[in-house]
Amino acid sequence: MMKTILAILFLSAPFSGLFAQKQFNLELKKQLDTILQLDQGIREFGDTETAEIRKDTLAAMFKYPKKILTENLWKVMNEIDSVNLIKMEAIISKYGYPGKSMVGEPTNTAAFFVIQHSPNLIPKYYPLIEKAGKAGELPFKYTAMMLDRKLSNEGKEQLYGTQIYGVKILNKITGKKDFFRYVVPIKDAKNVNKRRKKAGFDTTVEENTKRFGFSYKAYTLEEIKKITKQTP
């Protein structure tokens, strides 16, 4: 997803004249494109599947030596997220949700990503994201992703299976710490793929989980509580 969004942003830049014909807010679009590039670019840099030559390009974009950026990834990411959030809250306060009709695609995902990466503010802004998704100003799958994160953060079952957690637990047999990854329990799990398809996802929950290097297994909230109690 990160690579796709960044590629579209770079490819769309030469066609700003076409955007003007659609009466987009070009000044706002430019600002949001920069925010989106920073948000997605720093996460692409940290992706273990990103090629080293691509990391060179991203490091140059951030104006950091690659070695320094690698060593300080989380610090830089947090700084970017903090600055992006300040800018985005000001934008939302002035314009409401900057959606498809205002700034085009994929620029209309910028506000979503900034809020999604600021978990404490999801309860405040989820109604805005929900409204944008239902109105077609934002692909509804993003609304679904934020709803899943909101529910998961509240200790509730998610609906679309997008949220994956990981925790170190004590292996009683070996006495060592194992990293346990799991899909946050899903409400009505047997119908999750129907909901995913309707929301616009192009993968099943099983296929999506494999992208993270492990197989999907359905758990209940009670089962997860028992397992994670073994956290050292």
Side-chain angles (χ1 to χ4, degrees):
M1 182 182 295
M2 293 180 289
K3 295 177 183 177
T4 301
I5 289 174
L6 287 173
I8 293 174
L9 285 173
F10 285 122
L11 288 172
S12 65
F15 300 100
S16 58
L18 296 177
F19 295 140
Q21 293 175 16
K22 294 183 179 180
Q23 298 183 334
F24 291 156
N25 184 327
L26 295 184
E27 183 178 347
L28 178 59
K29 174 179 169 54
K30 183 178 180 181
Q31 185 178 0
L32 288 169
D33 282 345
T34 299
I35 289 173
L36 186 56
Q37 286 175 1
L38 292 172
D39 178 279
Q40 294 293 283
I42 193 64
R43 287 169 169 83
E44 184 182 348
F45 184 90
D47 191 329
T48 56
E49 295 186 359
T50 301
E52 289 303 315
I53 191 169
R54 174 61 177 163
K55 287 187 177 184
D56 290 336
T57 300
L58 291 167
M61 183 179 79
F62 288 109
K63 299 180 180 179
Y64 274 99
K66 186 168 69 173
K67 184 176 184 294
I68 299 299
L69 188 56
T70 300
E71 294 171 350
N72 296 276
L73 179 64
W74 292 108
K75 179 182 178 181
V76 174
M77 186 183 295
N78 287 333
E79 290 174 352
I80 288 172
D81 287 350
S82 296
V83 173
N84 279 350
L85 181 59
I86 292 171
K87 293 178 180 178
M88 191 60 69
E89 287 202 285
I91 288 170
I92 290 174
S93 178
K94 183 176 180 178
Y95 297 100
Y97 189 86
K100 180 179 178 180
S101 61
M102 189 182 300
V103 295
E105 297 179 291
T107 312
N108 61 329
T109 64
F112 160 80
F113 281 113
V114 171
I115 296 167
Q116 184 80 339
H117 296 148
S118 305
N120 292 338
L121 290 177
I122 286 177
K124 176 181 178 180
Y125 287 110
Y126 174 72
L128 184 71
I129 299 296
E130 181 181 35
K131 182 178 178 181
K134 289 182 176 179
E137 292 295 328
L138 176 72
F140 190 79
K141 67 179 181 179
Y142 294 109
T143 298
M145 289 169 66
M146 187 170 289
L147 177 58
D148 271 1
R149 182 157 294 183
K150 177 177 180 293
L151 291 170
S152 298
N153 289 346
E154 293 169 352
K156 300 176 182 177
E157 295 172 309
Q158 59 177 328
L159 294 178
Y160 299 93
T162 65
Q163 300 302 294
I164 293 173
Y165 283 4
V167 63
K168 285 187 176 182
I169 61 174
L170 184 64
N171 187 318
K172 294 181 178 179
I173 297 176
T174 65
K176 296 180 180 180
K177 299 175 184 178
D178 293 336
F179 192 65
F180 172 62
R181 288 183 294 178
Y182 62 96
V183 175
V184 173
I186 302 169
K187 185 176 182 179
D188 185 24
K190 66 180 181 180
N191 290 311
V192 63
N193 288 328
K194 292 180 181 178
R195 291 194 296 275
R196 287 177 65 89
K197 184 176 181 179
K198 185 176 181 181
F201 293 101
D202 57 7
T203 60
T204 64
V205 68
E206 293 84 3
E207 291 168 340
N208 185 60
T209 306
K210 283 184 179 180
R211 290 177 51 243
F212 293 89
F214 69 106
S215 297
Y216 170 69
K217 181 178 179 180
Y219 290 101
T220 65
L221 290 173
E222 290 72 23
E223 287 172 332
I224 290 298
K225 286 179 182 177
K226 289 181 180 178
I227 293 172
T228 56
K229 277 184 178 179
Q230 301 174 45
T231 303

